[in-house]
Amino acid sequence: MSVSIQPDLRSALSRLIELPSVSSTQSSLDMGNLPVIHELASWFESMGFHCEIMPVPGLSGKANLIATLGQGPGGLVLAGHTDTVPYNEQLWQTDPFKLVEKNNRFYGLGSCDMKGFFPLIMEAAREFAEGDLKAPLIVLATADEESSMSGARALVTAGRPKARYAVIGEPTGLAPIYMHKGIMMERIRVVGQSGHSSNPALGKNALETAHKVISEVMTFRAELAEQYNNPGFTIPSPTMNLGCIHGGDNPNRICGQCELDFDVRLLPGMDSNEVRLKLNNRLQPIARADGVELNLEPIQACVDPFSGLADSELVKTCEALTGHKAQSAVFTTEAPFFSQMGMDTVVLGPGDIDQAHQPDEFLALDRIEPTISLLKALIRQYCLKQP
């Protein structure tokens, strides 16, 4: 049952957490986000925002929301994604889809990353709903940030929204982030020949080739770390994570096919196509020697690194308001898409990245009022003054 129009902060967060909106590269886990989008739209419309729901092309049940208060050039975007990662319910001490308050924290899936940002925006925007804004305040809620970034990609294609500044409320511990790594998610597929395990000569074992492939991938990883370095990051080299492997179907059959999924966290200046080409050139000789087929391909389109300016106007404003010097991050956000649309962009939100994607995810209560005060100050700075 839906809460009333313009709910208080706790009720709004509770309702958002109740609405499952998992996005995943695995179709069996993937969900739409329309219930969350419609709930947010009803709340912001009641506050005087003009709300536009933009379906994501080609994806059923997924949409972005652009909620705009005021009009004119310039303006400020406060942005967040409405989806969450999958969850392991057995590892949670509470119901992931029920807001629980204890230990001075709000627990629930998405409380930190990052449904919790929207009720804070609502609280900050209330006092400006009847005001005469000189530049628009735009609240943006996106789809599929945790998987394909399809929501943000659709916005770039549409060229919307248009604004001068953008704050993305990802969990940063209220420290402004002006630069972060990109990510490429890749799949290596080895196709051999199955056969009876009693005679290895009857087939070509894809799993054994995958063993050699993994060794070469790890060697390549070490070479990337030697070749690229950026001391502006806490982890100054690119990283590569071997995420999952699937192959074969029975112990007494020669493995006919094997897949390895991995990611690479790219530093600014690295090109995903070049990385893929170099790795593929090293893997194909293994495949030829074993007489198997090997394909290396992206699971989804790369998200480029975000490389903003440490001394941009918005960065300096956020440093002054938070008392934190701007930092870099090793995780990935939608920031490069906003930057691509010409916005001065900062990643800045109340949660902590250590809580994201974890069982018993939470948002600390002592972050709420500082975040609301920060958002109010940003709205005054960029929406009440002439752009």
Side-chain angles (χ1 to χ4, degrees):
M1 186 167 115
S2 179
V3 296
S4 60
I5 294 299
Q6 289 195 44
D8 61 31
L9 188 151
R10 193 186 194 287
S11 298
L13 180 55
S14 178
R15 179 59 178 158
L16 294 178
I17 288 174
E18 286 175 5
L19 298 171
S21 54
V22 171
S23 69
S24 174
T25 57
Q26 297 185 44
S27 59
S28 61
L29 301 176
D30 194 51
M31 303 176 183
N33 73 327
L34 277 178
V36 176
I37 290 293
H38 284 301
E39 199 75 77
L40 288 172
S42 71
W43 296 341
F44 282 108
E45 281 179 349
S46 72
M47 297 174 67
F49 284 73
H50 173 265
C51 292
E52 180 180 357
I53 295 175
M54 299 178 61
V56 178
L59 294 178
S60 176
K62 297 180 186 276
N64 298 321
L65 170 67
I66 302 177
T68 306
L69 185 67
Q71 53 188 325
L76 171 68
V77 167
L78 299 177
H81 60 82
T82 59
D83 56 317
T84 71
V85 292
Y87 59 97
N88 302 106
E89 187 169 8
Q90 69 275 15
L91 299 181
W92 280 70
Q93 297 182 42
T94 61
D95 184 342
F97 297 104
K98 181 179 179 182
L99 182 68
V100 174
E101 181 179 348
K102 64 177 183 178
N103 304 324
N104 293 314
R105 299 167 174 173
F106 279 141
Y107 289 88
L109 182 63
S111 57
C112 165
D113 185 20
M114 60 172 296
K115 291 179 176 180
F117 191 54
F118 294 108
L120 302 182
I121 295 174
M122 290 171 59
E123 289 298 313
R126 288 186 199 280
E127 72 176 63
F128 304 98
E130 303 298 328
D132 183 20
L133 300 183
K134 304 302 182 183
L137 170 62
I138 303 170
V139 179
L140 185 59
T142 61
D144 272 11
E145 190 273 348
E146 297 288 8
S147 53
S148 66
M149 299 271 183
S150 59
R153 296 182 199 278
L155 292 169
V156 171
T157 300
R160 303 190 52 210
K162 297 185 183 299
R164 189 162 298 172
Y165 306 98
V167 175
I168 303 174
E170 291 276 10
T172 71
L174 287 178
I177 301 295
Y178 75 96
M179 177 173 68
H180 66 60
K181 293 183 178 182
I183 185 171
M184 54 189 293
M185 293 187 181
E186 305 290 307
R187 175 169 293 144
I188 299 170
R189 179 179 290 109
V190 179
V191 180
Q193 173 62 52
S194 61
H196 201 287
S197 65
S198 63
N199 185 353
L202 293 175
K204 300 180 186 298
N205 195 308
L207 195 53
E208 292 184 7
T209 300
H211 172 72
K212 301 173 187 177
V213 164
I214 290 173
S215 295
E216 189 65 28
V217 167
M218 293 176 69
T219 299
F220 182 68
R221 176 175 66 183
E223 292 175 5
L224 286 179
E226 291 180 1
Q227 182 178 357
Y228 297 98
N229 186 280
N230 187 323
F233 290 92
T234 54
I235 302 175
S237 62
T239 60
M240 180 185 293
N241 177 62
L242 306 182
C244 60
I245 189 167
H246 305 280
D249 51 29
N250 220 49
N252 62 355
R253 265 175 38 103
I254 295 169
C255 178
Q257 181 169 313
C258 188
E259 294 181 351
L260 170 69
D261 292 356
F262 64 96
D263 77 9
V264 182
R265 301 285 174 157
L266 303 164
L267 292 173
M270 294 180 68
D271 181 86
S272 61
N273 292 322
E274 181 182 349
V275 171
R276 187 181 303 111
L277 179 62
K278 286 182 176 179
L279 179 56
N280 189 57
N281 287 341
R282 297 176 63 145
L283 297 181
Q284 290 303 330
I286 297 174
R288 287 194 294 269
D290 285 2
V292 301
E293 179 185 342
L294 185 148
N295 292 302
L296 170 59
E297 56 192 20
I299 297 173
Q300 57 198 29
C302 172
V303 180
D304 292 328
F306 168 53
S307 185
L309 299 175
D311 60 352
S312 79
E313 180 185 344
L314 181 58
V315 169
K316 290 301 182 185
T317 297
C318 291
E319 286 182 328
L321 291 173
T322 64
H324 294 291
K325 184 171 178 58
Q327 305 171 11
S328 64
V330 295
F331 55 86
T332 305
T333 77
E334 295 170 322
F337 300 100
F338 291 84
S339 182
Q340 185 178 341
M341 289 190 283
M343 300 179 213
D344 185 356
T345 303
V346 166
V347 184
L348 174 60
D352 292 292
I353 194 61
D354 289 349
Q355 299 306 319
H357 303 191
Q358 296 287 338
D360 300 324
E361 176 185 348
F362 67 81
L363 176 65
L365 297 185
D366 62 8
R367 293 285 175 78
I368 290 176
E369 288 304 323
T371 303
I372 294 171
S373 297
L374 167 65
L375 295 178
K376 286 181 178 179
L378 289 170
I379 295 169
R380 293 189 193 101
Q381 175 76 13
Y382 294 115
C383 300
L384 291 184
K385 295 184 179 181
Q386 291 287 351

